[in-house]
């Protein structure tokens, strides 16, 4: 091979950017996404690599929530993205009001989410973070994340699947609390596998 090329900056040099992810498509193009803090807002940005060069970055999310930690997958030549969304009272980071995960297809006119996502998977009452997305050989979508077990407890790994019409789950991958490391998911022709980090943590903490 030709070896590694020179690093190329694809995000704006005028803002701090974090948590990059990238996927490759069959046509040879690439898509990268990351989160960035700009003008008092935290959103997801992305850029395409086509015809031998990186295109100009574009803003993907524009919600009032803090939107970070993108994860990417490809199905039938289409890019899908999962990410984390948080809301706070004012700017008080210790006053969280919601913490959701989302997944959507990057359509021509914007993000296109599966039906029932915020009712069946990520309603306001459920605290979730660090999502990951994958597809199995049948085209079923798999969405994994960490779910809070309460203020003085940790996070358990959970996963949902979406048939294209309805959601199934959540399935608890491990009935043992941990921290917020992501749950990786991959699929072969016969099975879908999730991998999560195990923590030897106590059942709770005293204030």
């Amino acid at each position: 091979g030709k070896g590694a090329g020179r690093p190329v900056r694809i995000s704006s040099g005028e803002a701090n950017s974090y948590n990059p992810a990238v996927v490759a498509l069959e046509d040879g193009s690439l898509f990268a996404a990351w989160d960035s803090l700009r003008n008092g807002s935290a959103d997801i940005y992305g850029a395409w690599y086509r015809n031998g060069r990186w295109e100009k970055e574009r803003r993907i999310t524009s919600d009032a929530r803090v939107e970070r930690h993108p994860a990417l997958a490809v199905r039938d030549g289409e890019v899908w993205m999962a990410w984390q969304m948080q809301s706070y009272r004012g700017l008080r980071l210790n006053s969280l009001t919601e913490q959701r995960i989302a997944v959507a297809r990057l359509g021509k006119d914007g993000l296109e989410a599966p039906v029932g996502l915020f009712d069946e998977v990520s309603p306001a009452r459920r605290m979730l973070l660090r999502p990951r997305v994958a597809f199995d050989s049948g085209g079923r979508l798999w969405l994994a994340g960490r779910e809070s077990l309460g203020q003085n407890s940790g996070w358990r790994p959970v996963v949902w699947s979406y048939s294209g019409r309805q959601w199934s789950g959540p399935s608890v991958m491990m009935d043992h609390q941990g921290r917020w490391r992501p749950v990786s998911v991959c699929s072969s022709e016969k099975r879908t596998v999730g991998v999560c980090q195990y923590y030897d943590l106590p059942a709770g903490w005293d204030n």
Side-chain angles (χ1 to χ4, degrees):
K2 297 182 180 179
R6 297 179 59 184
V8 177
R9 181 165 193 162
I10 58 176
S11 64
S12 170
E14 299 179 356
N16 292 329
S17 298
Y18 309 88
N19 305 305
V22 64
V23 287
L25 285 74
E26 291 185 358
D27 63 3
S29 61
L30 306 173
F31 182 78
W34 58 90
D35 57 62
S36 190
L37 307 178
R38 308 182 190 186
N39 301 316
S41 180
D43 294 290
I44 310 295
Y45 288 75
W48 282 98
Y49 178 86
R50 296 183 175 121
N51 301 317
R53 67 178 184 86
W54 284 99
E55 298 177 358
K56 185 178 179 181
E57 68 170 12
R58 63 186 179 95
R59 186 175 178 179
I60 300 175
T61 65
S62 57
D63 196 272
R65 300 176 178 90
V66 175
E67 297 180 294
R68 303 190 67 193
H69 299 282
L72 301 173
V74 175
R75 181 195 174 215
D76 295 337
E78 296 178 320
V79 175
W80 286 72
M81 183 179 75
W83 71 101
Q84 177 179 308
M85 307 187 304
Q86 296 167 299
S87 295
Y88 301 89
R89 292 185 180 90
L91 298 177
R92 293 177 290 177
L93 296 182
N94 62 345
S95 186
L96 187 70
T97 58
E98 65 173 348
Q99 185 156 286
R100 303 188 185 194
I101 60 175
V103 64
R105 177 176 57 194
L106 274 65
K108 294 181 179 180
D109 298 322
L111 296 171
E112 302 170 352
V115 174
L117 173 66
F118 295 115
D119 294 324
E120 301 180 45
V121 175
S122 191
R125 68 180 183 277
R126 179 177 283 154
M127 294 291 186
L128 299 164
L129 47 64
R130 300 300 192 273
R132 290 293 185 269
V133 58
F135 290 90
D136 62 26
S137 59
R140 181 180 292 267
L141 182 153
W142 294 83
L143 178 64
R146 289 275 183 174
E147 180 179 15
S148 173
L149 293 173
Q151 183 176 2
N152 295 317
S153 299
W155 302 79
R156 66 180 181 181
V158 290
V159 63
W160 292 262
S161 65
Y162 184 69
S163 67
R165 295 183 179 180
Q166 63 182 15
W167 288 96
S168 298
S171 297
V172 179
M173 294 179 58
M174 183 188 303
D175 195 17
H176 181 82
Q177 67 176 350
R179 299 187 73 187
W180 48 83
R181 294 292 298 174
V183 179
S184 296
V185 182
C186 66
S187 182
S188 67
E189 292 184 1
K190 295 183 178 180
R191 67 187 65 184
T192 299
V193 176
V195 180
C196 60
Q197 185 166 316
Y198 176 84
Y199 296 86
D200 185 13
L201 296 176
W205 292 271
D206 296 327
N207 291 328

